[in-house]
Amino acid sequence: MDDETRRGIKTFRRWVDDAPAGGMVFFGGAGVSTESGIPDFRSPDGLYAQKYPHPPEQMISRSFFDARPREFFDFYCDRMLALDAQPNQAHRKLAELERAGTLSAVVTQNIDGLHQKAGSSNVLELHGSVLRNYCMDCGAAFSVDELLAQREQAEDGVPRCPACGGIVKPDVVLYEEALDEGTLQASVDAIACAALMVVAGTSLAVYPAAGLLDFFHGDHLAIVNRTPTPRDRQADLCLAANVGEVFDF
Ligand SMILES: [Zn+2]
């Protein structure tokens, strides 16, 4: 880590210390969870090409889910579930800041539930959560363990509701699907009244998530990302560091 980053981290921690009660909001992407060992499902590894004939964006689209549920669940269970992953330093510190009354909300693009596992309660999951699953016909709710058991029992590898036989779908926003309006609005509200906003582990390349920054009118915007983002010019501070490092205090 260079001196400039070290100085930046100091400034960042002072902002956190000085933030008014409930004045801080966190907005995180995949980079927050990679430090818990959760790979970005989009990053193809050596085995990927052999195993899956379609690009990931296609395999987790709604039209693919509807047309080829079996292949969807093969990919989903293989590449998108990481149920043994544990929260890292960033998750833990954010939970601590919420308990201390500084942090009002975590807005996340991740679907792994690690913020809640670390103890955070106000977590706005823009892309849903692998931990929640619903029958598409009767709406019954199932845990991920139940979904895996249903898949095990099914001849075609597609989890089905024991009550009505409907397909059970993860509560995850697929490509071609809209974000949940309520979650989006709650995120806008939290960001709009924050004094300090921390954006971390996201390249800010995808809308509408990136557009959430435009609702921030507080004092300090900090972006923590290993690589530059299109919104760096808007930020008061950019830290090219690991998220866990920045939150290690
Ligand atoms: Zn059902």
Side-chain angles (χ1 to χ4, degrees), residues 134-142 160-168:
Y134 296 100
C135 169
M136 293 174 77
D137 290 343
C138 75
F142 300 102
R160 288 179 190 278
C161 172
C164 80
I167 292 179
V168 176

Side-chain angles (χ1 to χ4, degrees), residues 67-83:
R68 304 171 174 208
R70 175 190 203 140
E71 284 171 80
F72 169 87
F73 278 106
D74 285 348
F75 178 81
Y76 175 82
C77 293
D78 183 26
R79 301 286 300 193
M80 298 183 71
L81 293 182
L83 301 175

Side-chain angles (χ1 to χ4, degrees), residues 17-219:
D17 285 342
D18 293 349
M24 176 180 173
V25 68
F26 179 86
F27 175 53
V32 177
S33 289
T34 46
E35 289 167 42
S36 287
I38 295 186
D40 189 337
F41 69 87
R42 292 176 204 81
S43 58
D45 55 36
L47 288 173
Y48 181 88
Q50 288 171 28
K51 228 169 149 183
Y52 300 105
H54 314 282
E57 284 78 6
Q58 189 184 338
M59 296 199 77
I60 57 160
S61 68
R62 181 56 193 260
S63 50
F64 193 89
F65 174 90
D66 288 334
R68 304 171 174 208
R70 175 190 203 140
E71 284 171 80
F72 169 87
F73 278 106
D74 285 348
F75 178 81
Y76 175 82
C77 293
D78 183 26
R79 301 286 300 193
M80 298 183 71
L81 293 182
L83 301 175
D84 294 331
Q86 295 301 320
N88 62 50
Q89 178 57 29
H91 297 107
R92 287 192 295 270
K93 187 68 191 183
L94 287 162
E96 186 188 315
L97 289 168
E98 184 187 61
R99 281 194 298 275
T102 306
L103 185 80
S104 66
V106 167
V107 180
T108 182
Q109 296 174 282
N110 299 334
I111 55 176
D112 48 46
L114 288 181
H115 285 291
Q116 291 92 331
K117 207 168 182 179
S120 285
S121 43
N122 192 23
V123 183
L124 301 164
E125 299 171 304
L126 291 172
H127 296 162
S129 170
V130 299
L131 302 181
R132 296 184 300 266
N133 305 275
Y134 296 100
C135 169
M136 293 174 77
D137 290 343
C138 75
F142 300 102
S143 70
V144 67
D145 289 334
E146 287 171 310
L147 174 122
L148 291 172
Q150 291 158 357
R151 187 170 129 83
E152 198 87 350
Q153 280 158 20
E155 265 172 42
D156 62 356
V158 177
R160 288 179 190 278
C161 172
C164 80
I167 292 179
V168 176
K169 181 179 179 286
D171 187 15
V172 166
V173 179
L174 304 177
Y175 285 96
E176 301 161 2
E177 288 184 321
L179 302 196
D180 178 74
E181 278 297 323
T183 308
L184 202 50
Q185 189 57 52
S187 304
V188 166
D189 292 347
I191 289 166
C193 64
L196 167 63
M197 179 171 183
V198 187
V199 178
T202 168
S203 58
L204 288 172
V206 257
Y207 277 80
L212 284 172
L213 264 72
D214 296 331
F215 294 94
F216 178 70
H217 304 293
D219 301 327

